[in-house]
Amino acid sequence: MDFLTLLQVLDSSLRLATPLLLACLAGLFSERAGIFDIGLEGKMLAAAFLSAAIAATTGSVWLGLLAGVGASLLLSAIHGLASITLRGDQIISGVAINFLAAGLTVVISQDWFGQGGRTPPLLSGGRFEPLTLPGAMPAKEISQAGPIMQLYSELLSGHSLLVYVALVMVPLTWFVLYKTRFGLRLRAVGENPAAVDTAGISVVGLRYAAVGICGVLCGIAGAYMATALQAGFVKDMSAGRGFIALAALIFAKWRPWYALGACLLFGFFFAVDNRFQNILLPAWVMSGVLLALGLGLIVYVRQKTLLDRIVLGGLGLGLAIVAGLIALSSLSAGLGSMIKIPVVFIQSLPYVLTVVVLAGFVGKAIPPRSGGVAYVKEK
Amino acid sequence: MGIMPKWADVVLVPLISLIIAALLSALLILAIGESPVAALKLMIEGTLLRSSGWGYMLYYTTNFIFTGLAVSVAFHAALFNIGGEGQAMMGGLGVALVCLFIPWPHWTFAIIGASLGAAFFGMIWAGLPAYLQAKRGSHIVITTIMFNFIAAGVLNFFLVGALKPKGSMDPATANFPAATHLPTFEDMAGLLGFEKMFRAAPANVSFFLALVACVLVWFLIWRTPLGYEIRAMGKSEPAARYAGIGSVKIIMVAMMISGALSGMMAINTTQGESERLILNFTEGAGFIGIAVALMGRSHPLGVFLAALLFGFLYQGGAELALWTKIPRELIVVIQALVILFTGALTLMVRRPLERLFLSLRRGG
């Protein structure tokens, strides 16, 4: 793989990471304030639909963006009403919002455009066009340029405005959360709302503010998907990205800079999956890695309780058996023969990594202490 | 508690939630230029007034009973198993392996084998998140969501790889042997002398398996020490621990039962209907289990009634999509509204009701 191909993959990683990053930061605000949000997916989907629909009918991408943010905010308001004011179950509310968005977007778009749950393709004014940074080379000449110029023109330049917005949101989120009074209070309300209440600050107000910010960011994420990444809305186009953003949030341990890293990593998996259909590894490497993992797990649980030994030991045994099967099946062709890594493996990697992080094998992910619990004011 | 009589809590709250959801759906149907009354009539005609309509409805109901019971059992232990979808997918894998690789002499044996296979695979897929919750404190909601996606990956891997017959293009296993064919309602009606009943409808004997599961879950939760321990854990973990109930054990056991029930849904869809394992056979039934459990207040009888309702909605929704311009996704909206009003906005329904009963009591 040459340098330019690598840059192209990274370029596509950045583009695919953008909706994840926006949704991840959205979830970060909400969850840091103690409101769990399973509904990121639904909000992105609703925003993607309405932004594409409005951009298609008015021809203005900015109106589309505004409408998308509005749709997402409406769902945020439902989530806030259910989980802050009515002290309902935040998870159930999020689940409901996901279904609401999945159903309504298709029902409305079918009635509105009659194109099987999609919007008409967006023309030039209805999309966020790629911006060419000053001094960047046009695509045709890039292959002749030097490495620095290639890096600048291919990776940094040529993205739509919202990609840069998402990148700027990372330091901004960090600043708001850690360097402002509002951020301190927001974090406090997720850890110990009673203390915040005692200080005479409104818990309800802070939590609504957090849920509102979450809505705005999810709205931008959705609008980006429909008006920049693609040209129009397709049924179920969020395709689990909201959940991957949630995974990235946990992977990042609810911190903004880590969120950037996690989203870029998951975006990279997407880009690799898109570009390379066949990733080959020598059989002995694949078999060896699995065997080492399996044996490692078995050694790790030797001294633990019976349950640990059954579950983790069983898992380790399973991995070792798979390693053995790979080795056996490649014996005829020799252990040095190349084996194709299943596509689904790359696709499942974000979820697997999140489970590993959640399990506390690689650092411990500790959620905000009062997350998911409604606050009842003392009387 | 205690402000409302028990019947109001059990019957009135879900009923009012349902009415609100129905009214909002009617508004939506009006908004897209169709008549809600005509839509309801069409749904009833296509479902309740034709035996094949019943056959489709009960087929969906069977799925929803299993997944609804699964969510309910976990709810009783205060666990939210959102992973029914993934557990059902793995259950399907279990059914396929059992049906394809064991030469069954008769379907009666095959259904027992397939039940065990489905339950076992579903159990493992719920057991891992349960273990991570019990021993590592990872939030079960997040892990079960992740396991849904991983299950989809695993299923995909097997259906485009090892289990796909040579030369076939679509991601599915070979057809199951004829001996594993489960009698459908049409077959059974034919045996009883009613020809032309339930024609071509997919409902099959696994419906009765679902009914048995309802009774067993009721017995487990309210008539056994284990059920008592599960409910005690669900009410208050510290109190349960003080009474000597181990939370690790209860989380593991409750989730594994839940996963087994989700997995058994696959008997109906895989062995009963498609008679081979296909991609996306769960069709979101794992998630509908959440709505069914909430609506049915986690009681097997309630789950049965809610599953019937959703079976009706699914078959009726298919009729609507066929004859009107109301797309099938309307049912997803209704499902969302039911979840919202019975699960997240309960206080909105409950508060006015409580006030009403309070004033009634003062007056009387």
Side-chain angles (χ1 to χ4, degrees):
Chain A
M1 192 163 59
D2 60 286
F3 184 63
L4 192 58
T5 318
L6 177 70
L7 281 182
Q8 280 165 352
V9 172
L10 291 180
D11 174 71
S12 131
S13 309
L14 185 58
R15 255 180 289 130
L16 294 168
T18 298
L20 298 182
L21 182 58
L22 286 165
C24 185
L25 293 174
L28 195 141
F29 273 102
S30 183
E31 302 213 344
R32 269 305 180 95
I35 303 293
F36 277 165
D37 200 345
I38 303 279
L40 298 174
E41 173 88 2
K43 277 182 263 196
M44 281 166 89
L45 192 64
F49 163 66
L50 207 62
S51 63
I54 295 293
T57 40
T58 64
S60 159
V61 68
W62 291 101
L63 283 179
L65 175 68
L66 213 61
V69 170
S72 171
L73 270 175
L74 194 68
L75 292 179
S76 275
I78 295 178
H79 191 52
L81 182 72
S83 53
I84 304 170
T85 308
L86 292 172
R87 303 197 294 271
D89 191 311
Q90 301 174 4
I91 311 264
I92 294 177
S93 164
V95 169
I97 283 170
N98 285 336
F99 286 126
L100 202 58
L104 274 180
T105 49
V106 179
V107 172
I108 297 176
S109 67
Q110 179 60 26
D111 181 51
W112 193 342
F113 301 105
Q115 298 187 0
R118 51 170 72 230
T119 60
L122 295 174
L123 306 172
S124 61
R127 287 192 71 194
F128 280 104
E129 299 298 332
L131 300 177
T132 308
L133 294 188
M137 284 184 136
K140 282 178 196 136
E141 300 163 29
I142 283 181
S143 53
Q144 276 88 40
I148 306 271
M149 192 63 204
Q150 282 187 343
L151 183 87
Y152 180 73
S153 307
E154 178 66 38
L155 182 56
L156 296 180
S157 169
H159 294 288
S160 79
L161 178 68
L162 295 184
V163 173
Y164 302 109
V165 168
L167 289 176
V168 170
M169 279 313 296
V170 177
L172 195 64
T173 303
W174 172 81
F175 182 80
V176 168
L177 275 184
Y178 293 98
K179 296 289 158 194
T180 66
R181 191 155 61 175
F182 171 73
L184 177 67
R185 289 172 173 177
L186 190 117
R187 284 181 292 134
V189 94
E191 298 289 336
N192 191 346
V196 177
D197 202 15
T198 315
I201 305 156
S202 164
V203 173
V204 169
L206 271 169
R207 286 191 161 171
Y208 265 108
V211 169
I213 296 173
C214 171
V216 172
L217 289 174
C218 274
I220 302 176
Y224 173 80
M225 280 194 301
T227 62
L229 200 58
Q230 283 165 39
F233 172 84
V234 194
K235 160 181 166 179
D236 278 332
M237 78 180 298
S238 49
R241 282 200 180 87
F243 293 113
I244 297 191
L246 210 59
L249 181 60
I250 295 158
F251 201 64
K253 299 170 188 170
W254 293 268
R255 281 176 283 190
W257 286 106
Y258 286 56
L260 175 66
C263 290
L264 285 177
L265 179 68
F266 291 175
F268 178 70
F269 292 151
F270 279 140
V272 167
D273 175 43
N274 279 354
R275 185 167 176 113
F276 306 106
Q277 284 305 309
N278 291 303
I279 303 173
L280 300 168
L281 262 188
W284 65 272
V285 173
M286 211 135 96
S287 170
V289 167
L290 288 176
L291 191 66
L293 268 177
L295 291 181
L297 267 177
I298 292 172
V299 171
Y300 171 76
V301 293
R302 256 182 334 158
Q303 306 287 327
K304 304 271 177 168
T305 61
L306 182 64
L307 183 63
D308 289 313
R309 269 182 280 165
I310 293 174
V311 176
L312 293 180
L315 199 64
L317 201 62
L319 286 174
I321 289 174
V322 173
L325 285 179
I326 293 174
L328 265 182
S329 64
S330 64
L331 263 188
S332 55
L335 281 177
S337 64
M338 302 300 253
I339 289 186
K340 189 180 146 200
I341 296 185
V343 182
V344 289
F345 179 75
I346 309 277
Q347 288 165 349
S348 303
L349 216 47
Y351 311 113
V352 175
L353 284 179
T354 306
V355 171
V356 170
V357 169
L358 265 172
F361 291 119
V362 186
K364 190 102 183 94
I366 301 166
R369 189 146 22 113
S370 296
V373 189
Y375 179 64
V376 185
K377 202 178 169 83
E378 276 187 69
K379 292 224 172 102
Chain B
M1 274 286 117
I3 299 176
M4 280 196 285
K6 201 164 179 233
W7 66 267
D9 195 49
V10 173
V11 178
L12 223 49
V13 173
L15 204 64
I16 292 176
S17 308
L18 185 68
I19 291 171
I20 298 176
L23 285 179
L24 286 174
S25 315
L27 279 181
L28 184 65
I29 294 177
L30 267 183
I32 61 178
E34 294 271 347
S35 150
V37 180
L40 184 65
K41 213 185 254 171
L42 197 62
M43 285 173 88
I44 291 175
E45 271 168 18
T47 309
L48 302 178
L49 301 184
R50 287 204 332 248
S51 68
S52 70
W54 276 90
Y56 274 95
M57 180 174 100
L58 294 181
Y59 166 72
Y60 292 121
T61 301
T62 308
N63 288 343
F64 303 154
I65 290 178
F66 278 120
T67 52
L69 286 177
V71 177
S72 303
V73 170
F75 269 158
H76 277 294
L79 296 165
F80 194 170
N81 178 13
I82 213 170
E85 191 78 1
Q87 290 145 19
M89 284 180 198
M90 296 309 280
L93 206 55
V95 170
L97 292 178
V98 165
C99 287
L100 283 173
F101 295 110
I102 301 179
W104 297 102
H106 192 255
W107 67 265
T108 42
F109 296 102
I111 196 172
I112 295 171
S115 302
L116 291 177
F120 179 72
F121 272 66
M123 207 152 95
I124 292 205
W125 213 246
L128 273 170
Y131 167 80
L132 293 173
Q133 166 87 58
K135 298 287 285 190
R136 299 243 159 213
S138 354
H139 204 303
I140 198 135
V141 170
I142 308 289
T143 40
T144 46
I145 290 177
M146 298 300 137
F147 268 69
N148 280 342
F149 287 104
I150 302 174
V154 170
L155 192 64
N156 198 333
F157 173 74
F158 280 107
L159 289 187
V160 299
L163 287 180
K164 192 174 72 171
K166 280 215 166 61
S168 153
M169 285 310 282
D170 51 336
T173 64
N175 289 333
F176 296 164
T180 65
H181 169 81
L182 295 181
T184 61
F185 276 28
E186 190 183 0
D187 300 340
M188 287 186 279
L191 275 183
L192 295 175
F194 299 102
E195 302 290 333
K196 296 178 184 168
M197 284 275 276
F198 301 110
R199 198 186 288 168
N204 54 68
V205 283
S206 50
F207 174 68
F208 300 107
L209 202 63
L211 295 185
V212 172
C214 279
V215 177
L216 287 181
V217 166
W218 171 81
F219 187 79
L220 168 81
I221 297 290
W222 279 282
R223 288 292 179 273
T224 64
L226 179 65
Y228 172 77
E229 291 182 356
I230 289 177
R231 282 182 294 135
M233 240 291 283
K235 283 272 186 290
S236 163
E237 200 197 324
R241 208 181 311 130
Y242 193 70
I245 300 170
S247 67
V248 171
K249 175 190 150 195
I250 297 300
I251 291 175
M252 290 299 297
V253 170
M255 276 302 286
M256 282 163 84
I257 294 172
S258 176
L261 285 165
S262 292
M264 285 174 72
M265 183 206 108
I267 302 167
N268 184 38
T269 53
T270 304
Q271 192 186 0
E273 211 259 323
S274 59
E275 303 194 344
R276 60 185 187 144
L277 183 63
I278 50 178
L279 268 185
N280 303 327
F281 71 90
T282 49
E283 291 184 316
F287 294 115
I288 295 159
I290 299 167
V292 169
L294 286 169
M295 183 90 210
R297 307 298 304 272
S298 300
H299 190 287
L301 184 63
V303 165
F304 172 69
L305 294 175
L308 270 180
L309 175 77
F310 272 92
F312 166 76
L313 285 175
Y314 257 68
Q315 169 55 14
E319 289 287 316
L320 286 184
L322 202 59
W323 302 110
T324 67
K325 58 189 174 76
I326 303 171
R328 252 197 119 140
E329 277 75 8
L330 177 75
I331 305 306
V332 180
V333 177
I334 298 179
Q335 176 192 338
L337 292 172
V338 168
I339 295 179
L340 196 63
F341 285 103
T342 52
L345 296 173
T346 34
L347 223 54
M348 205 158 111
V349 178
R350 198 177 283 267
R351 248 188 215 154
L353 264 184
E354 282 180 350
R355 276 201 205 115
L356 181 75
F357 275 100
L358 214 55
S359 64
L360 275 181
R361 194 181 297 171
R362 279 202 197 110

